[in-house]
Amino acid sequence: MSSQRVHAAEHAVGVAAPAGVVYGLLADAVRWPVLFPSYVHVERMDHDGTEERLHLWDLVQGRVRPLRVRRRLHPRTRTVETERTDPVTPGATTSGLWRVTPDGDRCVLSLRREHDPPPWFGASPETDDSALEAEVITRLDEVKAVAERWTTFDQVLLAFEDSVRVSGPHELVYDFFHRIEEWPELVPHIDRVDVEEDVPGVQIADIAGGDWDGGGAVVSRAVRLCFPAAGRVVHKDLVATDPDDAEASPGLSRLLAGHTTEWSVLPGPLGTLVVCSHSVMLEDAAVDRVLGPDATLVDARHEVRAGLGQASREVLCLAKWHAENALRRVG
């Protein structure tokens, strides 16, 4: 029998939001990347109303971690049971239990995590315990911060897309989006891109150029997941979390509390359809600082839609030109 002990951590936090709102945030895992800083991308593989399987990518100490997660949802008791595995450490499992307990017009949110490492796992018990404690506290703080904005969800969350049709092979279009390190030579508002790709298909990109509103220079960092077989590139901006930090996030970018982009290359009988989809959570505390004291969230939604839409349409047109021009050169 293995002497390896199970590591566990449990904490609770009061949340100034109704229990139903908080449970809804936990249940809607696909939307987590735009809501919570530590999640990059979530895909639901199957779902029968009670149980689901997720492919999830999150950020841990600046590195992207892929996970496979099974969840059981219990809306009546407002609990979510989870069991996750990490492909990097086969045999290790982490189970969890989210619980939302009503407390008048507020609620108490608790999370318990148990980590069962394989016998050969080399981390010390103290290191494993502290990492699990930190993760539980971080997850609770993230959910609390978003849930307490629940009265403005209809205004601060928006999603939109732009598209273009390309008369050329979808492989050339996908190649344009994947090879972001070449964008300084192709995209006018991009000056420099430094890319780390230690794991194939997982890119950490530092991007320098003009802000997407056409304003001053900005340096940003993004995580990009590339799925060549599906013709998709998922891009998550690691935006500044402090709305007063003008240097970290100048211009209209300061209006973004969360932002994900997905480039989809869809071949078909009428050519290749290329779609750019955006999901955004606005930083309402920055609206008056960026747009003026009389500005509203409606104004911010308009500015973000116009600015991001213009930037993405520019990139879409350049991808079209890149693919069709390459095809003409070959012909």
Side-chain angles (χ1 to χ4, degrees):
M1 180 178 295
S2 171
S3 61
Q4 194 86 1
R5 71 182 181 91
V6 174
H7 305 276
E10 182 172 7
H11 290 276
V13 64
V15 183
V21 169
V22 177
Y23 177 79
L25 289 174
L26 298 177
D28 191 5
V30 174
R31 197 164 59 166
W32 288 354
V34 75
L35 298 176
F36 306 127
S38 58
Y39 290 100
V40 176
H41 184 56
V42 178
E43 293 192 359
R44 181 177 285 123
M45 306 310 294
D46 58 52
H47 180 52
D48 65 5
T50 300
E51 296 192 7
E52 65 181 2
R53 288 190 308 118
L54 305 174
H55 285 190
L56 182 152
W57 292 259
D58 66 1
L59 279 170
V60 179
Q61 298 180 344
R63 311 303 297 179
V64 178
R65 176 178 62 175
L67 298 171
R68 303 294 180 263
V69 182
R70 289 185 178 273
R71 305 204 309 164
R72 287 174 291 279
L73 308 176
H74 306 284
R76 288 186 179 179
T77 59
R78 297 189 180 92
T79 57
V80 180
E81 300 174 75
T82 67
E83 182 181 286
R84 77 184 189 203
T85 57
D86 184 347
V88 177
T89 55
T93 61
T94 303
S95 60
L97 177 65
W98 289 93
R99 186 181 302 277
V100 186
T101 305
D103 183 18
D105 58 355
R106 301 168 58 93
C107 66
V108 175
L109 174 65
S110 67
L111 172 61
R112 177 176 176 81
R113 286 267 168 88
E114 295 183 356
H115 180 61
D116 186 9
W120 49 264
F121 194 63
S124 68
E126 295 78 11
T127 300
D128 215 22
D129 283 342
S130 62
L132 202 60
E133 288 275 342
E135 182 181 12
V136 168
I137 293 171
T138 296
R139 299 305 189 205
L140 288 170
D141 288 344
E142 287 183 343
V143 176
K144 173 182 170 67
V146 173
E148 291 184 343
R149 304 177 63 187
W150 71 279
T151 58
T152 62
F153 278 174
D154 288 344
Q155 295 174 286
V156 300
L157 296 174
L158 66 152
F160 53 91
E161 65 180 37
D162 296 287
S163 62
V164 67
R165 195 168 293 278
V166 178
S167 298
H170 65 276
E171 294 89 351
L172 290 176
V173 183
Y174 174 82
D175 184 69
F176 176 88
F177 294 117
H178 176 257
R179 299 176 66 85
I180 191 175
E181 69 276 7
E182 297 181 358
W183 281 20
E185 300 176 3
L186 302 170
V187 180
H189 66 265
I190 302 297
D191 297 327
R192 176 178 55 82
V193 178
D194 296 322
V195 179
E196 296 179 15
E197 192 168 354
D198 296 335
V199 177
V202 179
Q203 300 176 336
I204 306 292
D206 291 308
I207 305 167
D211 200 9
W212 44 264
D213 64 342
V218 59
V219 177
S220 61
R221 170 163 281 206
V223 179
R224 307 174 84 243
L225 303 178
C226 304
F227 305 97
R232 298 164 54 222
V233 175
V234 175
H235 176 117
K236 170 157 181 169
D237 288 321
L238 305 183
V239 299
T241 56
D242 182 0
D244 295 321
D245 190 352
E247 292 186 1
S249 183
L252 291 181
S253 296
R254 295 176 64 199
L255 294 174
L256 305 182
H259 178 216
T260 64
T261 306
E262 182 169 322
W263 307 94
S264 301
V265 183
L266 308 171
L270 300 178
T272 299
L273 180 65
V274 190
V275 181
C276 177
S277 304
H278 293 275
S279 294
V280 172
M281 180 169 65
L282 298 176
E283 180 54 78
D284 47 1
V287 172
D288 59 345
R289 297 179 179 89
V290 177
L291 301 179
D294 297 326
T296 66
L297 281 170
V298 173
D299 298 321
R301 290 171 67 91
H302 173 76
E303 292 292 339
V304 168
R305 173 64 179 98
L308 285 178
Q310 179 178 343
S312 61
R313 287 191 298 273
E314 179 181 74
V315 175
L316 286 170
C317 290
L318 289 168
K320 174 182 173 70
W321 177 89
H322 171 77
E324 294 180 347
N325 192 53
L327 191 63
R328 285 193 294 268
R329 288 200 302 268
V330 172

